[in-house]
Amino acid sequence: TQLLEQSPQFLSIQEGENLTVYCNSSSVFSSLQWYRQEPGEGPVLLVTVVTGGEVKKLKRLTFQFGDARKDSSLHITAAQPGDTGLYLCAALLIQGAQKLVFGQGTRLTINP
Amino acid sequence: DAMVIQNPRYQVTQFGKPVTLSCSQTLNHNVMYWYQQKSSQAPKLLFHYYDKDFNNEADTPDNFQSRRPNTSFCFLDIRSPGLGDAAMYLCATSRDSFLAGYNEQFFGPGTRLTVL
């Protein structure tokens, strides 16, 4: 059983469309992070959310942390081909030590 | 620029022939991690070092070992690689999460291992 469930697992859309990726769990997190990974490279941290209900924006990307700190979403407005990649959510559990738990990832393809 | 460096980027080895992957960091972070990532999957944690303290994941095969001779360097040794060990191996670092309150990890570019 996956502790962090990401949906959808695969998404292919046209340039200019909007999209939302979800990261859900039954567990409470002390923080949650979103990473983007391009082919042949390591994941790059996009954002960390810590407070329930928190919203952070990074240009066309909007990240939201659920009020109960069990879920998060990533919304991309007017997607561009450069947004293509594997998006991973990762969480530090309340009871956890130095380890992050990763979701299975959402592979996003933006078609020109 | 402060960063996490992995060498080599691509490594080819033969079935059963020992191989060592290296990672170095200029971030002066306490914690270093090794992950295995297979195609289109999430990274899977193999082990991590908190300073010199080694922490192995319960499901990490004995075939995988690690060394951290100093703060900057960490090595992944695969004693007898099998075909199933072909993957991307990612090194990551973080500061002490207990002090920071969260655990932002900084990843290297990875080493892609091929086993023939």
Side-chain angles (χ1 to χ4, degrees):
Chain A
T1 303
Q2 191 77 23
L3 186 61
L4 281 173
E5 293 283 347
Q6 281 189 243
S7 60
Q9 290 192 41
F10 299 93
L11 183 60
S12 180
I13 63 172
Q14 293 301 119
E15 181 177 1
E17 293 183 1
N18 301 333
L19 66 109
T20 303
V21 175
Y22 300 93
C23 178
N24 296 300
S25 177
S26 58
S27 300
V28 178
F29 311 130
S30 59
S31 68
L32 190 140
Q33 295 153 29
W34 286 92
Y35 292 81
R36 179 169 68 209
Q37 185 176 20
E38 299 187 15
E41 299 293 332
V44 174
L45 179 67
L46 296 174
V47 76
T48 299
V49 286
V50 180
T51 306
E54 183 176 5
V55 176
K56 283 192 174 180
K57 291 192 175 184
L58 186 65
K59 296 183 181 178
R60 293 175 293 99
L61 279 59
T62 301
F63 304 86
Q64 186 159 7
F65 201 15
D67 291 341
R69 291 187 294 166
K70 293 183 177 182
D71 54 83
S72 181
S73 64
L74 158 60
H75 182 79
I76 301 179
T77 304
Q80 298 178 2
D83 297 326
T84 294
L86 179 67
Y87 287 80
L88 295 159
C89 66
L92 182 67
L93 297 179
I94 292 287
Q95 301 88 348
Q98 301 289 342
K99 300 188 295 185
L100 287 178
V101 175
F102 281 88
Q104 73 269 50
T106 294
R107 184 158 297 282
L108 175 63
T109 303
I110 309 300
N111 303 300
Chain B
D1 289 339
M3 56 198 306
V4 181
I5 302 162
Q6 288 189 246
N7 285 305
R9 294 292 310 274
Y10 301 91
Q11 176 73 57
V12 180
T13 191
Q14 291 179 334
F15 182 93
K17 185 174 180 181
V19 66
T20 295
L21 310 182
S22 73
C23 177
S24 64
Q25 55 132 339
T26 59
L27 297 161
N28 203 32
H29 282 170
N30 306 65
V31 194
M32 294 187 78
Y33 309 79
W34 279 104
Y35 290 88
Q36 180 192 65
Q37 186 179 30
K38 297 193 174 180
S39 181
S40 296
Q41 295 181 19
K44 177 182 181 297
L45 182 64
L46 296 173
F47 24 59
H48 75 276
Y49 274 94
Y50 181 86
D51 290 328
K52 291 187 177 182
D53 292 335
F54 178 71
N55 298 272
N56 199 36
E57 292 301 296
D59 58 353
T60 298
D62 292 340
N63 196 25
F64 292 86
Q65 304 286 320
S66 185
R67 296 170 283 135
R68 189 179 186 185
N70 53 53
T71 300
S72 300
F73 285 87
C74 196
F75 300 97
L76 170 61
D77 300 308
I78 308 176
R79 294 193 295 188
S80 182
L83 298 178
D85 297 327
M88 174 78 91
Y89 289 88
L90 296 164
C91 173
T93 73
S94 69
R95 290 181 297 157
D96 186 329
S97 68
F98 290 118
L99 298 177
Y102 43 86
N103 185 331
E104 291 180 339
Q105 296 193 9
F106 296 84
F107 285 83
T111 294
R112 180 161 298 283
L113 178 68
T114 300
V115 182
L116 300 177

